Amino acid sequence: MNALPATLGTAGALGLIYLVLAVRVVRGRWKHRVSLGDGGNAAMQRLIRAHGNFGEYVPLLLILMALLEASGASRSVLAGAGIALVIGRLAHAIGIETPKAPNPYRFVGGLITFGMLLLGSVWALWRALA
């Protein structure tokens, strides 16, 4: 039995994105001959931040999703939120590697991520207090 299908599917998709971001950092290290940190290289800074930013937001969002789903929250709403989150994190990763501002990908990705964090947090508080 698949107890948390919305969270499981979202985590799988986000895990693949995280893997791609990690491989890009490793490839950048080889290309720019940087063993640790960014070596003062702007391209490496963007690669590292795209990977790091993903790792800063995604775990909490997945925890919120799993707890909401386990508490009986609507799986279809959570599945929609998961799809939005995947799209938002992809857009943000693309945007953060584009140094030019304004950057619509980064803006939209950040907006979706913050929206999902707000939605998940308020929804979790509401379910906890109801």
Side-chain angles (χ1 to χ4, degrees), residues 14-15 17-18 21 49-59 89:
L14 291 170
I17 296 168
Y18 194 63
L21 293 173
R49 283 312 307 145
H51 180 256
N53 185 279
F54 193 96
E56 292 162 3
Y57 283 95
V58 168
R89 295 316 303 170

Side-chain angles (χ1 to χ4, degrees), residues 100-113:
K100 193 173 182 180
N103 188 316
Y105 287 103
R106 189 169 180 192
F107 175 77
V108 168
L111 190 64
I112 292 172
T113 300

Side-chain angles (χ1 to χ4, degrees), residues 2-10 69 75:
N2 191 354
L4 302 173
T7 304
L8 188 61
T10 303
E69 195 166 7
R75 284 187 177 158

Side-chain angles (χ1 to χ4, degrees), residues 40-130:
N41 182 296
M44 279 303 303
Q45 289 172 356
R46 289 189 299 274
L47 290 169
I48 291 168
R49 283 312 307 145
H51 180 256
N53 185 279
F54 193 96
E56 292 162 3
Y57 283 95
V58 168
L60 177 58
L61 288 160
L62 285 173
I63 290 167
L64 281 168
M65 273 188 78
L67 291 171
L68 284 163
E69 195 166 7
S71 75
S74 170
R75 284 187 177 158
S76 59
V77 173
L78 284 168
I83 291 167
L85 180 59
V86 169
I87 292 167
R89 295 316 303 170
L90 273 172
H92 190 270
I94 291 166
I96 206 167
E97 290 186 44
T98 305
K100 193 173 182 180
N103 188 316
Y105 287 103
R106 189 169 180 192
F107 175 77
V108 168
L111 190 64
I112 292 172
T113 300
F114 286 174
M116 292 299 102
L117 187 55
L118 178 63
L119 172 70
S121 297
V122 170
W123 196 4
L125 284 169
W126 179 77
R127 290 193 65 82
L129 298 174

